[in-house]
């Protein structure tokens, strides 16, 4: 029996959305998150690239979520968060390991804050490194703003395996995910 279950949230009336929203808003700074309504719109319009998945315990308790984009040749994880009471239990590592295995042979890519920018950034980087991700070297990367009035955010890309062409990936990411 698995320690967790993952299911696709594809109904805007799913009650788990309230829990996802709370964790989303508390886990990511404003400049690193979409307006909640845009997530609802992508679910409601059945976006062919975007997926929101809830992570539940076998008895149905909400444990976390991740949002991902199924891009050509790459799985991009936009947001991934585990409820604080389930952190450091191995659930996050189990989920990310399963995501990477399910994406094979494609690479899984995440954006993280720069090392040293905060204790949360260092914790996230360490988590991904422990789970086999490595930083894309020699790339100064900026996350486009999610909405007008926000600045670009300097971030770091980390991958589960090397990307064949980093510049092409960044163009695709900015075009399909950020509409830039």
């Amino acid at each position: 029996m698995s320690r967790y279950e993952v299911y696709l949230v594809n109904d805007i009336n799913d009650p788990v959305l309230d829990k996802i929203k709370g964790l989303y808003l508390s886990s990511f700074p404003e400049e690193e998150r979409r307006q909640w309504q845009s997530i609802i719109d992508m679910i409601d319009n059945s976006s062919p690239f975007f997926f929101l998945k809830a992570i539940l315990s076998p008895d149905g308790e909400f444990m976390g979520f991740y949002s991902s984009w199924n891009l050509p040749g790459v799985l991009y994880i936009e947001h991934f968060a585990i409820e604080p009471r389930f952190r450091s239990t191995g659930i996050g590592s189990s989920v990310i390991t399963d995501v990477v295995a399910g994406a094979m042979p494609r690479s899984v890519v995440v954006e993280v804050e720069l090392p040293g920018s905060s204790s949360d950034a260092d914790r996230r980087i360490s988590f991904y490194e422990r789970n086999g991700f490595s930083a894309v070297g020699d790339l100064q990367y900026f996350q486009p703003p999610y909405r007008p009035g926000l600045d670009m955010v300097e971030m770091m890309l980390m991958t589960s395996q090397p990307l064949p062409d980093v510049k092409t990936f960044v163009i695709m990411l900015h075009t399909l995910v950020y509409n830039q």
Side-chain angles (χ1 to χ4, degrees):
M1 178 190 220
S2 177
R3 295 174 55 207
Y4 66 90
E5 299 170 6
V6 175
Y7 80 91
L8 176 66
V9 179
N10 57 9
D11 179 350
I12 61 170
N13 297 309
D14 190 322
V16 80
L17 280 170
D18 288 334
K19 293 178 181 179
I20 291 173
K21 181 181 180 181
L23 183 57
Y24 179 68
L25 295 176
S26 67
S27 297
F28 300 97
E30 180 180 7
E31 64 272 8
E32 293 178 26
R33 62 179 194 247
R34 298 177 177 279
Q35 290 181 318
W36 184 249
Q37 187 58 48
S38 72
I39 292 172
I40 297 300
D41 291 345
M42 286 188 291
I43 294 168
D44 199 30
N45 295 325
S46 299
S47 168
F49 301 109
F50 176 81
F51 298 92
L52 180 64
K53 297 193 177 182
I55 304 162
L56 304 177
S57 71
D59 63 356
E61 186 177 5
F62 178 71
M63 300 174 86
F65 78 93
Y66 67 91
S67 60
S68 62
W69 291 77
N70 194 6
L71 303 175
V74 175
L75 180 69
Y76 167 65
I77 296 182
E78 186 172 26
H79 294 98
F80 176 49
I82 298 295
E83 279 286 345
R85 70 183 174 281
F86 293 110
R87 292 179 188 160
S88 299
T89 66
I91 294 297
S93 289
S94 293
V95 171
I96 203 70
T97 296
D98 289 346
V99 169
V100 169
M104 292 297 274
R106 299 175 301 152
S107 183
V108 176
V109 179
V110 296
E111 295 170 330
V112 294
E113 300 94 333
L114 295 177
S117 60
S118 73
S119 61
D120 282 342
D122 293 341
R123 182 180 51 79
R124 285 184 182 114
I125 292 166
S126 177
F127 168 81
Y128 286 113
E129 287 175 338
R130 283 191 317 274
N131 287 286
F133 284 70
S134 53
V136 174
D138 298 331
L139 174 71
Q140 186 174 23
Y141 174 77
F142 291 90
Q143 176 193 54
Y146 275 112
R147 55 191 167 274
L150 294 178
D151 293 327
M152 292 175 57
V153 179
E154 189 171 5
M155 304 277 277
M156 179 171 73
L157 293 178
M158 296 185 78
T159 63
S160 62
Q161 57 186 326
L163 295 169
D165 184 344
V166 174
K167 289 182 181 180
T168 298
F169 168 75
V170 170
I171 291 168
M172 178 175 58
L173 180 67
H174 287 189
T175 302
L176 296 176
V177 173
Y178 295 102
N179 296 316
Q180 301 281 321

